[in-house]
Structures are given as C-alpha cells and as structure tokens.
Amino acid sequence: MSATALLLPILILAVGTYAFRIVGPAVHGRVRLPRFVDDLLDDGAIVLLSALTVTSAVFEAGQFAGWARPIGVAVAGALAIVKAPFPVIVVSAALVTALLRLIFPGIDG
C-alpha cells in the first residue's frame, strides 16, 4: 500500500474530527435538543462504553482471553460502583488478575 493511499483516509478522518470539535462550541447556545434525545445520548454513551469494556475484557485476537481478565474487570467495576479511589481500583483489578493467573496457571486458556 502506497503512502498516498494511507495519507488520504487519515487526512479525511482528521478533517472530520476537527469539524466535529469546532461544531460543538459553535452551536452550543443555539441548538436545543429535546430532553429525551439528551437522555438517549447519555444512555447510548454508557452502552457503547460497556460494550467496549466487555469485548476488550473477554476477547483477545478474536478468541476467548481466559477467566482471569474478566474477573479482574468485574472487580474493577464493583469497586467503581462503590466509588473507590481510582488507584485502588486499578491496583485491585491488577492484583486479582495476577493472583488468579499465579494460583491457577491454566486459567487463561
């Protein structure tokens, strides 16, 4: 693949990204969305973030990543729900995942 073939899509995406960034502040006070649309966008963001979290926790290279990682992510999610400090969440999830891999060597498939 040539450099031109790679550069064109990158430039198109860059222009689109900056256009979206400019439009937000430009129309901020002028456009009012109905309350249900605002709620729908909030819910959509949560659904997309949840889907990304699940797929990245459960799959690696298109295959099941094993049980240690999803259990670590579940621990992080539980700690986030109870509003634990972020460093505690990260260290606890990593510690649980590492201990599971240490105690059960075959847990990752």
Side-chain angles (χ1 to χ4, degrees):
M1 183 175 266
S2 70
T4 307
L6 285 175
L7 190 60
L8 184 62
I10 291 171
L11 288 175
I12 291 171
L13 289 172
V15 168
T17 299
Y18 284 114
F20 271 110
R21 292 191 69 148
I22 290 170
V23 167
V27 300
H28 176 61
R30 298 182 213 161
V31 176
R32 286 286 207 203
L33 294 175
R35 181 72 183 154
F36 79 93
V37 173
D38 197 34
D39 292 342
L40 187 64
L41 289 173
D42 287 343
D43 293 343
I46 292 169
V47 168
L48 284 173
L49 183 58
S50 300
L52 176 65
T53 302
V54 168
T55 55
S56 64
V58 175
F59 297 105
E60 182 176 334
Q63 295 193 7
F64 181 60
W67 288 104
R69 189 186 306 168
I71 292 170
V73 170
V75 167
L79 289 172
I81 288 172
V82 297
K83 299 191 185 312
F86 184 71
V88 172
I89 294 171
V90 172
V91 170
S92 298
L95 188 62
V96 166
T97 303
L99 285 174
L100 283 171
R101 289 177 177 162
L102 180 69
I103 295 169
F104 305 107
I107 199 166
D108 282 332

